[in-house]
Amino acid sequence: YLAGLLEPSAKLISWAIEVYGRYAGTIDLRALPVDEGAGDLGYVTHPAFRGRGVMSQAVRLVVGHAFDTLGWQTVRWQAHVGNWGSAKAVWRAGFPMPTFVPDLLVERGRIVDGWISTMRADATREPGVPWDEVRAALSSSA
């Protein structure tokens, strides 16, 4: 799935995602300026590949790279409230239940509510609760 590095640097590593030679999205790690090795995970899935598990697999690979290759201790994910596809991809990779945060993100020039979850290097990397529980908890906070 991961076709290759797009912008490798000390602060940003970005990969293109390819499926059968077609562009399926991008995924990146952005280092935070902290001592213990931490960063943000970001990604975009091409609409033609949403709902197929493509990004879930890419998230698993990139989070593994952050912990096992880069030696990071923490990977953080954020998304606007209602981005169910993004939430499901990190849930499949073992991120804990996201937390609702009002006014978390800036999106298209507006401040919007968001979800955030942080995974530690020693996490199991498997879902901790069923998706239905995550969906119900996040739906009640939206």
Side-chain angles (χ1 to χ4, degrees), residues 20-38:
Y20 303 118
R22 293 182 54 206
Y23 170 79
T26 58
I27 188 166
D28 60 64
L29 293 169
R30 292 160 292 208
L32 294 172
V34 294
D35 292 336
E36 66 269 3

Side-chain angles (χ1 to χ4, degrees), residues 50-135:
R50 292 181 183 158
R52 296 179 175 189
V54 170
M55 192 54 70
S56 295
Q57 180 64 24
V59 167
R60 283 188 206 99
L61 290 170
V62 169
V63 167
H65 181 77
F67 293 143
D68 303 334
T69 303
L70 300 177
W72 286 10
Q73 296 303 303
T74 307
V75 175
R76 182 175 65 184
W77 162 85
Q78 301 173 77
H80 69 269
V81 167
N83 190 340
W84 295 106
S86 185
K88 195 162 195 178
V90 294
W91 166 78
R92 284 182 174 142
F95 276 73
M97 177 83 69
T99 301
F100 170 82
V101 179
D103 304 325
L104 177 67
L105 303 166
V106 175
E107 186 176 281
R108 297 183 181 124
R110 298 180 313 131
I111 296 176
V112 298
D113 298 341
W115 296 323
I116 187 168
S117 183
T118 301
M119 179 184 258
R120 306 261 326 143
D122 60 1
T124 63
R125 301 186 199 176
E126 295 292 329
V129 297
W131 173 245
D132 291 343
E133 287 182 32
V134 174
R135 181 107 183 170

